[in-house]
Amino acid sequence: MAPMLTTGKLLGKIKIAGELYCQTGLHIGASQEVMEIGGVDSPVVRDPLTREPYIPGSSIKGKLRSLAEKKAFAGQEFSEKSIGEFFNKRVDKVRHHECNVPECHVCRLFGASSDGNIPQSRPARLYVEDAALKGESKELLEKIDTGLYLTELKFENTLDRLTSAATPRQLERVPRGSRFNFCFFYNLDEPLSAPLISSDLEEIFSLLQLLNDDFLGGSGSRGSGRVELQRLRVHYRPLSYYLPGRGAEKEETYVQGQDQGLGQFFAEVLVQLCGEGR
Ligand SMILES: [Zn+2]
């Protein structure tokens, strides 16, 4: 018998929202197909309607998943697998992890698709929305003249090792100091008091703390993409929240204090959401 990997239930949602503050310039590259003629070598992804740069949910989710997989591989809580056994799936040339272990946080949060080695597909419990540029950042960026709409051009050089001749290339970035609104939803398929739910939430919070010390997008090892998560809010919305006219009173909201670090905030939210008395 294959293990049950989902309850098939929906008991509510947890919304995690806040601001992504760019401590350095941020480059989330657009694919070659959408490159504009006469454009820069390496443009950023933009909303086709507003032309504003944004951070695709897939970029944030991909980063969180890769952090989760490396963390799980280091921990090897549920098995002792070699690197090739653990990162067992390959899409194009990219290797990653998927499995049917019921407790695996990676696959609980981000899902898995069935194949010869994985009997059952698993739904993702975590949804990550696209992060839009905040209005205040747009206003500030509109006032600076860089020759590009709301972005900057950074020149990087590759040096020939023998002649020291430089080969320049251009990287378009969202400037340091910009702010984006981010939002995640976690689907509850068991009560908050269930051990796997609290450990899922603990895992999400841990990944967000890791992201704070990691980078988003391209050229991370060369100074781009350092972000800081700020002004976090966590909302618990049981199904009764979604009954017409009942909403607000059924929601529990937790707001990060002004001088409260991420870790301290998340620890308090976990106690409130999943602690004794639930
Ligand atoms: Zn897994």
Side-chain angles (χ1 to χ4, degrees), residues 232-235 252-256 265 269 272-273 278:
L232 269 87
R233 301 177 308 278
V234 177
H235 308 261
E252 288 175 26
T253 301
Y254 305 94
V255 180
Q256 185 183 12
F265 172 61
V269 172
Q272 296 295 325
L273 283 182
R278 261 293 166 195

Side-chain angles (χ1 to χ4, degrees), residues 86 97-101 104-108 122:
F86 188 84
H97 161 87
E98 289 182 21
C99 77
N100 267 177
V101 177
C104 174
H105 286 305
V106 176
C107 301
R108 283 181 58 81
R122 312 176 67 166

Side-chain angles (χ1 to χ4, degrees), residues 22-176:
C22 298
Q23 291 179 310
T24 65
L26 173 73
H27 172 80
I28 310 271
S31 74
Q32 293 293 324
E33 292 93 74
V34 296
M35 266 186 67
E36 291 163 15
I37 293 165
V40 297
D41 294 343
S42 193
V44 298
V45 62
R46 289 176 183 271
D47 182 298
L49 282 179
T50 64
R51 307 299 301 144
E52 291 170 24
Y54 72 102
I55 309 176
S58 56
S59 298
I60 303 172
K61 188 178 174 186
K63 170 56 78 172
L64 293 177
R65 180 168 190 140
S66 82
L67 290 169
E69 291 185 21
K70 290 182 196 175
K71 186 165 165 280
F73 181 55
Q76 290 271 358
E77 292 158 68
F78 310 112
S79 58
E80 280 296 329
K81 289 181 171 159
S82 70
I83 188 165
E85 288 169 332
F86 188 84
F87 298 102
N88 55 339
K89 275 239 180 171
R90 196 186 271 262
V91 177
D92 298 325
K93 284 181 180 161
V94 181
R95 268 179 290 210
H96 70 280
H97 161 87
E98 289 182 21
C99 77
N100 267 177
V101 177
E103 300 85 357
C104 174
H105 286 305
V106 176
C107 301
R108 283 181 58 81
L109 294 178
F110 301 101
S113 50
S114 63
D115 68 5
N117 300 315
I118 298 173
Q120 274 180 277
S121 285
R122 312 176 67 166
R125 288 177 172 81
L126 186 66
Y127 300 161
V128 182
E129 293 186 354
D130 291 344
L133 189 66
K134 277 184 79 78
E136 62 186 65
S137 290
K138 186 187 165 193
E139 278 175 29
L140 281 174
L141 293 172
E142 276 175 333
K143 289 183 192 139
I144 55 169
D145 184 17
T146 64
L148 292 165
Y149 183 52
L150 307 176
T151 56
E152 64 180 4
L153 206 53
K154 179 170 180 272
F155 286 88
E156 294 187 341
N157 279 314
T158 313
L159 298 181
D160 183 283
R161 298 301 184 265
L162 298 183
T163 65
S164 291
T167 307
R169 58 176 183 271
Q170 317 157 322
L171 190 72
E172 186 183 21
R173 304 197 304 182
V174 177
R176 174 174 66 87

Side-chain angles (χ1 to χ4, degrees), residues 174-250:
V174 177
R176 174 174 66 87
S178 306
R179 290 176 181 277
F180 293 83
N181 285 318
F182 75 85
C183 180
F184 305 156
F185 279 96
Y186 172 78
N187 280 334
L188 284 164
D189 67 343
E190 288 183 83
L192 278 169
S193 55
L196 279 175
I197 299 296
S198 57
S199 61
D200 273 358
L201 292 175
E202 193 174 356
E203 176 71 8
I204 295 170
F205 293 158
S206 166
L207 294 175
L208 294 180
Q209 287 181 245
L210 275 171
L211 176 63
N212 242 6
D213 277 351
D214 211 275
F215 64 88
L216 271 180
S219 291
S221 69
R222 296 192 297 278
S224 291
R226 285 295 309 276
V227 294
E228 190 181 314
L229 305 184
Q230 297 179 349
R231 301 177 190 171
L232 269 87
R233 301 177 308 278
V234 177
H235 308 261
Y236 165 52
R237 295 173 175 175
L239 276 191
S240 51
Y241 169 89
Y242 297 95
L243 288 172
R246 296 276 296 281
E249 78 218 49
K250 297 293 174 186

